[in-house]
Amino acid sequence: YPCDVIRNFSIIAHIDHGKSTLADRLLELTGTIEKKERGLNKQVLDKLKVERERGITVKAQTASMIHNYAGKDHLLNLIDTPGHVDFAWEVSRSLAACQGALLLVDASQGVQAQSLSVFHAAKDRGLTIIPVLNKIDLPAAQPDIVAAQMQSTFGINPDDMIRISAKSGIGIEAVLQAIIDRIPPPSGNVNDPLKAFLFDSLYDQYRGVVSLVNIQGGLLKKGDKIMSCHTRKKYEVVEVGIMYPEEVPTASLRPGQVGYVACNMKESSEAHIGDTLHRVGAPVDPMPGFKPAKAMVYAGIFPVDSSDFPKLEESIKRLTLTDRSVEIMRESSTALGQGLRLGFLGSLHMDVFRQRLEDEYNASIIITAPTVPYKVIYRDRTVLVSNPTDFPDVNDVASHVKEVQEPIVKASIIVPEEYLGDMMDLCFNHRAENVDHKYLDASEATSARIILTCTMPLSEIVTDFFDKLKSRSSGFASFDYEDAGYQASKLSKMVFLLNGKPVDALALIVHRTAEQEVGRAWVKKLHKVIPRQLFEVPIQAAIGKRIIARETLSAMRADVTAGLYGGHHERKLKHLNNQKESKRKMKRVGSVELPQEAFYDILSSN
Ligand code: GDP
Ligand code: MG
């Protein structure tokens, strides 16, 4: 396939606007996959179980197809992009291997927060954008109104928009034609030295790490000796091929092509996203690389049964082979024993990882409250703190620390105008600043939509902000955010004391304005979950020496069962049944005995 019949493209859209469905239709119409009975949505590209269950795409997948158009076979390479704000990094990575993008907008929903961010990401890279209005089969579809909206927000001519139903198959042929007609072919000369851009990697049980590459110049084939610009390591190519949609070996990969290369890489860290590969002895200028993925949400993960730690560590290592954006460190806690501290791109990313861990490895885990990375600035150095345990105590902050800073994001919310008041309220409750809003629709639409922008501490949106946003807007609000650096803030470490002894795994970083509320809520929760002891146990939230909140757990009577009945019948019964087992898992905090499962109850009800 010479360059002029190759097209490399992505589908970009707000979540649920139909990327995966359209990808399936394109693969079907080109005969790459077989057509199933109508109504069945295969979503071939969403491979992971959790993706299928949640209907989200976590990991970008690549597939090639062949389409005969104007008497010529064309090789179309689709790079699927994830549809959630946490994965913006994967989106930009995928776009770097493309010349064009289909911008998909749901005709019943209109332009949403992530339609804007993905549009700008594609525009900034100079990609040709093909606007597509999807779901025109829906009775609630308003293609004309949404087309006007796209014209006013993106400056796109309505005549260029293709109206389709990815579900029923209307307009798919026109999409294929537009890909070939409008997107420029890639450039690259087969006689140039080999230059391959590494934009993704997968893990194969038999072949180890397999890299996905886009050939910028030259030819890549079996037996070639290649070298990484980044690691300077050398490899011999074992196999090359295209994703059709599974791996299909080919004789070579030519300029403009997208495909895989297996070359006996042992560690997934060797396949550095954004790297450039060249032939040994024929160096090339590397492509501008990517900023590495930056973990923004950290949490400790511990096995419920401490003796399971080696298994947990092994499981996590295997999972991270297919998800390179997770950062791993060892961590140990007096209360929870040995565990791992993981860094994620965002809270959905963390959730998805947890679910994969539970699904695929059958692991019972305790996960601590999420924390963002804080900057603690001393006179002579700056320390990045991603674990509340490492955060200096108030006294140290007062005497040694110049300033504490927290990560800030620029948030944008798109919402029908009648919810504006509620949304402003929600933002202010989450320490929003620089709040601004403007109309998204140029026309006097019946239910005009507003785009609300503000800056907010990242820590405010990593827990339940998204759920609140959805419920307070009856599901109509969409949300996106981008990194906006760090900002000075009044933050303290809050610790929880049982009978005067701190429980390290429960420490939190809290903003001054939230101390009371957070302290009270956690102390209440602990009071509910911690089983009674033979003596009275004060449960306290403290910042330094200052006690913020307190509850008292009364003593149980010497007669064990009598004491255990009462408030939480069911749990206590379970507790009694498992007494032998839970004895083994008892943890001590000072003189207080805690079953490890109590931590599970405390931390899983965040
Ligand atoms: P993604 O998140 O962008 O990948 O979206 P999906 O392809 O998973 O689609 C989200 C939902 O919209 C699924 O329930 C699809 O069946 C549905 N959907 C996708 N395209 C259409 C369409 O053209 N018409 C209708 N009625 N539903 C669609
Ligand atoms: Mg999808």
Side-chain angles (χ1 to χ4, degrees), residues 36-52:
K36 274 230 184 115
E37 294 97 88
R38 277 175 54 86
L40 258 185
N41 240 324
K42 276 178 304 188
Q43 312 227 330
V44 178
L45 294 180
D46 292 353
K47 283 181 184 162
L48 299 168
K49 180 170 166 234
V50 23
E51 294 181 338
R52 266 181 271 119

Side-chain angles (χ1 to χ4, degrees), residues 88 308 313 414:
D308 282 344
E313 187 175 35
I414 293 183

Side-chain angles (χ1 to χ4, degrees), residues 16 18-21 43 46 55-57 80-81 83:
D16 277 345
K19 283 188 304 290
S20 305
T21 311
Q43 312 227 330
D46 292 353
I56 55 165
T57 311
D80 196 21
T81 56

